[in-house]
Amino acid sequence: MDVNIAPLRAWDDFFPGSDRFARPDFKDISKWNNRVVSNLLYYQTNYLVVAAMMISVVGFLSPFNMILGGIVVVLVFTGFVWAAHNKDVLRRMKKRYPTAFVMVVMLASYFLISMFGGVMVFVFGITFPLLLMFIHASLRLRNFKNKLENKMEGIGLKRTPMGIVLDALEQQEENITKITDYISKVKE
């Protein structure tokens, strides 16, 4: 599997001003989910840089707890993804409610980490960067390049780290006919 790193988007595109941000339509969960997935794919390297800065600061202040927290989250996420692939009930829940699935992973991680006393490191080093990513991806309006990148990732023309994570959460588009419909709409 050939994995490509997405380019770093210009910071004025990533966080320009209030004209490119809007509240999502909470009544249309599918449209909101599409916006979040599209933005996660398009700005993934920017999100990685912001998260790495926050993780570095917290890791510098408490390296053992940060490493422990990271290992726990990765193991719990991997365990839940494995369980979801083997149990249909969990697979359907993960597909229909990806945010709830991530919340369950984070809560299970929180309880495991709380046994070791690294709760504040978990909150500021792991949960806060994820929350910022979700908020930005929810509020940032998509542009044409953003939608095109998402479609290319969806049909497998490009494989990126965020695409692999979204595949594990079963949030990638699976139907190529959706892509051909989109291309025909662009041509019109």
Side-chain angles (χ1 to χ4, degrees):
M1 176 169 56
D2 189 28
V3 177
N4 300 321
I5 304 298
L8 185 67
R9 306 296 175 190
W11 290 104
D12 61 336
D13 179 37
F14 180 65
F15 200 74
S18 60
D19 60 330
R20 295 301 306 154
F21 288 88
R23 196 184 82 203
D25 183 9
F26 297 114
K27 294 176 184 171
D28 189 356
I29 300 296
S30 175
K31 189 174 180 180
W32 182 17
N33 187 51
N34 276 343
R35 181 192 286 188
V36 170
V37 168
S38 181
N39 283 329
L40 286 174
L41 287 170
Y42 189 69
Y43 294 113
Q44 64 185 288
T45 306
N46 295 67
Y47 293 141
L48 180 65
V49 168
V50 171
M53 288 187 306
M54 295 177 76
I55 289 168
S56 296
V57 169
V58 173
F60 179 75
L61 297 174
S62 184
F64 175 75
N65 285 336
M66 191 65 216
I67 291 169
L68 177 68
I71 290 170
V72 167
V73 171
V74 167
L75 289 176
V76 169
F77 180 76
T78 304
F80 271 90
V81 168
W82 177 82
H85 281 293
N86 293 316
K87 299 288 183 189
D88 285 336
V89 174
L90 288 175
R91 181 179 300 142
R92 283 192 303 271
M93 195 239 4
K94 181 176 71 169
K95 180 95 173 154
R96 294 182 71 201
Y97 307 107
T99 305
F101 185 80
V102 172
M103 294 297 285
V104 167
V105 168
M106 298 307 287
L107 286 172
S109 300
Y110 171 80
F111 287 120
L112 286 174
I113 292 171
S114 68
M115 290 184 219
F116 298 106
V119 173
M120 291 312 288
V121 170
F122 175 77
V123 169
F124 288 109
I126 297 169
T127 306
F128 191 60
L130 290 175
L131 179 64
L132 287 178
M133 282 186 237
F134 179 73
I135 290 170
H136 182 273
S138 292
L139 297 176
R140 180 72 168 93
L141 296 172
R142 297 180 295 166
N143 57 26
F144 180 73
K145 282 175 59 178
N146 185 318
K147 292 176 184 178
L148 184 63
E149 286 286 325
N150 189 29
K151 298 301 177 190
M152 288 175 59
E153 180 80 20
I155 61 173
L157 294 176
K158 293 177 77 177
R159 294 291 295 160
T160 60
M162 184 65 74
I164 293 168
V165 170
L166 291 173
D167 274 341
L169 292 172
E170 296 184 24
Q171 291 303 302
Q172 292 292 73
E173 291 186 35
E174 301 165 353
N175 197 346
I176 294 180
T177 58
K178 290 181 182 179
I179 291 144
T180 57
D181 291 344
Y182 179 78
I183 291 172
S184 66
K185 286 180 185 177
V186 169
K187 287 182 180 178
E188 292 177 357

